[in-house]
Amino acid sequence: MTKVFRVVLVVTLQVALITSAFAQAVAPERIDAEINAKIRQEGTTNSQIMRTLHFFTDVYGPRLTGSPNHENAAKWAVKQMQSWGLENAHLESWDFGHPGWLNERFSAFMNAPIKDNLTGEVLAWTPSTNGTVTAQAVQMTLPERPTQEDLNAYFNSMKDKIAGKMVLVGKPIFVPVTITPSPRRVDDKMLKDQLSNPNAAAFGPRNQPPQQAATDNRLSLAQITGQLDKFLLDSKVAVRVNDGGREHGQIRAFDNRTFDVAKVVPTVILRNEDYGRIWRILSDGTPVELEFNVVNRSYPEGKTSYNTIAEIPGTDKADEVIMLGGHLDSWHAATGATDNAIGCATMMEAARIIKALGLKPRRTIRVAMWGGEEQGLLGSQAYVKEHFGSAESPKPEFAKFGGYFNIDTGTGRARAFSVFGPESAAAILRQYAAPFEDLGLMGVSTSKSRSLGGSDNTSFSQAGLPGIGSRQDPIEYQSATWHTNLDTYERIIEDDAKKSAIAIASAVYHLAMRDELLPRFSKEEMPPLPPARGTATPTPTTPPPATRPR
């Protein structure tokens, strides 16, 4: 054997091994082009997305966790999926631990020095006013980063000035005019480049920024918030007024962090334009008289909340499950269309398409619509714990789970998936996504993060299961509709939702038809859990007058 021949042989064998390994890693999947064509046709011509959205938003919205609105929306979804032929449709209860709450009536006016309507929202889990209340407005400007002594001194200086008053807490937030708005679509080439870079960080949860810690005897935001709540209550303040702090009348109204209406005064968030106007008039030395009427109701039965479940039973692999879903609960300032009625409507539609075509998936396809997402992914966490356990403490169903697809970032069409799992899992999903590039679905990335946050797919990822999140075109989500009073039916792009449902229906169906489950991390490869961060419920991360995002 000559040296040259030996070199050629070695090179040839190396190439063969590399080629074989590559082929094994990205073995071609069986893609049923005929089924995909039927899915496109059904999802385009017979879509039920907007009808489903109408009921979730116009009829049952807002759907705050623990409220009768949320429960009634869930019950409607059960009946609707049953009418489509899905089976085992039911509500699964879990312990929310807090009473439900609804705002039934709210009005706000400035009576002097001029008369005008005010635009605002009520903070959840706060009490009603004692009928219609009228009082003078008072400014409160808390000291920045106070010590306990600083805060005590400030409270002592204010306690005789605020009894029975309408208290504006904090200076108005300066909201600059947006000169160059963010794009509403993700550029195709940019997204492809990101997905083709194996070192690029996977898109993922909208994680909470870390809470400001108390340092150098300075109080943390949580400490200030708790003491401020008690001070206003002890001082018998009539109404607390917060600044919405956003442009064009947008308001985000979240919750009293204790969920106990007895621990806070009636609280409203005014749009930045009204709050700033009142503050400026007061700063000129002119008294302002405000009038509020707030009617809220608590529902003790809301301590039990629900996830909404329905299935398309499998055939020869019926004990194995592919899931898809989104969260049905919403905040209360609007009807929760982009967050996340459209996600639930899209996933219900994907299941409806599969059922309407008479397809017989080998694995069971299970739709889930979660409660309690906005309070910290509570419903999906409870479900995963009950049914699957975790990689560290698995239940029998853990080994038979094949992936959970999630939609939860607005009306924009799905542009990419991110799967918690090895590259081989992404390689499979890429093949399912490829036929829908014309609809904007550009590829799949992987994630190794078991951090909880952002949306319900991370409840699965945290457990070590293949949670699959969706990256979507932003449209108006972060800029205008996410958690705001503008999150309504009118903000939905029907064509985008149809395209998402079509692509997801195909991916779910093909995953349900594989010979093997989607690859996942082995016990040896499983990323470790991140350090514990305390309770699941998010902690306020903004100054006391503001509300908290999730």
Side-chain angles (χ1 to χ4, degrees):
M1 183 184 293
T2 65
K3 184 177 180 181
V4 172
F5 183 79
R6 250 193 333 266
V7 171
V8 171
L9 180 60
V10 169
V11 171
T12 302
L13 288 172
Q14 287 175 337
V15 170
L17 288 170
I18 293 170
T19 303
S20 175
F22 180 79
Q24 186 176 5
V26 291
E29 291 290 307
R30 292 193 295 269
I31 307 294
D32 194 322
E34 183 179 354
I35 293 296
N36 277 347
K38 290 180 179 180
I39 287 173
R40 284 177 181 258
Q41 179 68 18
E42 177 64 28
T44 301
T45 60
N46 298 320
S47 175
Q48 296 293 304
I49 285 177
M50 298 308 284
R51 182 177 186 274
T52 302
L53 178 76
H54 158 66
F55 278 93
F56 283 158
T57 57
D58 298 333
V59 179
Y60 296 114
R63 305 171 306 280
L64 193 67
T65 301
S67 71
N69 293 25
H70 174 252
E71 182 177 348
N72 290 334
K75 289 177 177 177
W76 177 86
V78 164
K79 291 180 180 179
Q80 185 60 48
M81 289 189 287
Q82 285 174 332
S83 75
W84 291 341
L86 274 71
E87 301 181 24
N88 193 28
H90 64 282
L91 301 184
E92 288 197 18
S93 63
W94 54 274
D95 183 16
F96 180 40
H98 308 293
W101 179 95
L102 267 182
N103 169 242
E104 295 183 351
R105 236 171 243 281
F106 169 65
S107 60
F109 305 94
M110 179 159 49
N111 293 336
I114 46 85
K115 296 184 181 295
D116 205 353
N117 296 308
L118 301 175
T119 300
E121 299 290 342
V122 178
L123 196 71
W125 286 280
T126 57
S128 306
T129 56
N130 186 19
T132 299
V133 293
T134 302
Q136 296 294 309
V138 176
Q139 298 168 321
M140 278 189 70
T141 305
L142 295 170
E144 292 186 13
R145 301 188 67 241
T147 63
Q148 188 63 62
E149 292 73 20
D150 295 334
L151 193 61
N152 290 343
Y154 181 74
F155 285 164
N156 287 333
S157 72
M158 293 295 298
K159 63 182 181 181
D160 296 329
K161 302 176 183 179
I162 62 174
K165 300 295 196 299
M166 312 294 192
V167 177
L168 279 68
V169 179
K171 294 179 180 179
I173 297 168
F174 173 70
V175 181
V177 174
T178 301
I179 302 299
T180 306
S182 300
R184 298 188 177 187
R185 296 283 190 195
V186 177
D187 179 75
D188 288 358
K189 184 179 184 305
M190 180 192 75
L191 183 54
K192 278 187 175 182
D193 289 345
Q194 290 176 351
L195 293 169
S196 65
N197 178 5
N199 297 317
F203 61 88
R206 306 179 297 272
N207 285 322
Q208 290 288 81
Q211 181 188 357
Q212 176 188 322
T215 57
D216 300 329
N217 296 321
R218 308 287 179 175
L219 299 175
S220 69
L221 292 176
Q223 290 171 323
I224 297 169
T225 299
Q227 292 186 55
L228 177 61
D229 287 343
K230 186 176 186 304
F231 173 68
L232 297 177
L233 190 66
D234 292 345
S235 301
K236 297 181 174 14
V237 165
V239 177
R240 172 178 174 171
V241 184
N242 294 344
D243 179 10
R246 297 183 63 80
E247 65 180 357
H248 304 312
Q250 296 172 24
I251 299 170
R252 287 178 175 167
F254 294 96
D255 53 32
N256 156 30
R257 65 191 178 87
T258 70
F259 297 93
D260 186 346
V261 298
K263 292 185 177 180
V264 292
V265 299
T267 303
V268 302
I269 300 96
L270 292 184
R271 65 178 180 175
N272 180 252
E273 296 84 349
D274 286 343
Y275 190 95
R277 180 187 187 187
I278 296 167
W279 190 277
R280 291 189 295 272
I281 294 173
L282 290 171
S283 296
D284 278 340
T286 303
V288 175
E289 182 182 272
L290 301 179
E291 176 186 314
F292 290 102
N293 182 21
V294 179
V295 179
N296 300 324
R297 185 183 297 273
S298 293
Y299 294 87
E301 62 272 24
K303 290 182 179 180
T304 298
S305 190
Y306 303 94
N307 297 321
T308 310
I309 308 296
E311 294 179 338
I312 301 173
T315 54
D316 62 307
K317 293 181 177 291
D319 59 337
E320 297 180 355
V321 176
I322 309 298
M323 292 186 68
L324 67 163
H327 70 90
L328 187 55
D329 67 301
S330 75
W331 287 110
H332 58 289
T335 57
T338 68
D339 191 18
N340 182 38
I342 192 57
C344 291
T346 297
M347 294 315 211
M348 282 176 61
E349 173 69 4
R352 185 201 68 80
I353 291 170
I354 294 170
K355 186 64 181 178
L357 292 176
L359 303 180
K360 303 294 183 183
R362 300 177 68 187
R363 293 180 179 84
T364 295
I365 294 173
R366 184 179 297 162
V367 184
M369 287 172 283
W370 314 109
E373 192 270 357
E374 298 294 3
Q375 287 71 44
L377 316 183
L378 301 182
S380 59
Q381 284 190 76
Y383 185 89
V384 170
K385 182 179 179 181
E386 173 68 21
H387 286 266
F388 303 115
S390 66
E392 289 73 25
S393 182
K395 294 191 172 184
E397 292 178 70
F398 187 91
K400 296 181 179 293
F401 182 75
Y404 166 74
F405 289 82
N406 192 72
I407 280 274
D408 183 24
T409 44
T411 186
R413 57 191 170 156
R415 304 302 309 281
F417 297 133
S418 176
V419 58
F420 175 80
E423 173 57 30
S424 55
I428 291 166
L429 294 176
R430 285 189 195 105
Q431 294 181 62
Y432 298 158
F436 300 97
E437 185 172 321
D438 64 309
L439 301 188
L441 188 58
M442 293 297 169
V444 181
S445 63
T446 60
S447 169
K448 294 184 178 180
S449 173
R450 294 180 71 184
S451 294
L452 192 70
S455 196
D456 295 292
N457 54 294
T458 65
S459 292
F460 291 82
S461 302
Q462 184 190 55
L465 295 166
I468 304 167
S470 303
R471 176 170 180 171
Q472 298 167 251
D473 277 330
I475 312 297
E476 302 169 323
Y477 190 63
Q478 292 289 354
S479 60
T481 67
W482 177 44
H483 295 169
T484 78
N485 54 324
L486 306 185
D487 188 7
T488 63
Y489 179 98
E490 289 76 11
R491 304 275 60 82
I492 298 302
I493 301 174
E494 180 179 3
D495 186 63
D496 278 35
K498 285 181 177 180
K499 289 174 177 174
S500 295
I502 288 167
I504 290 170
S506 174
V508 167
Y509 171 74
H510 281 91
L511 203 54
M513 296 299 290
R514 295 187 84 242
D515 290 336
E516 304 295 334
L517 287 167
L518 189 69
R520 60 169 77 170
F521 290 120
S522 66
K523 182 178 181 180
E524 295 73 26
E525 298 169 328
M526 182 64 66
L529 284 165
R533 296 179 60 188
T535 60
T537 303
T539 307
T541 58
T542 51
T547 50
R548 70 174 189 255
R550 206 213 50 69

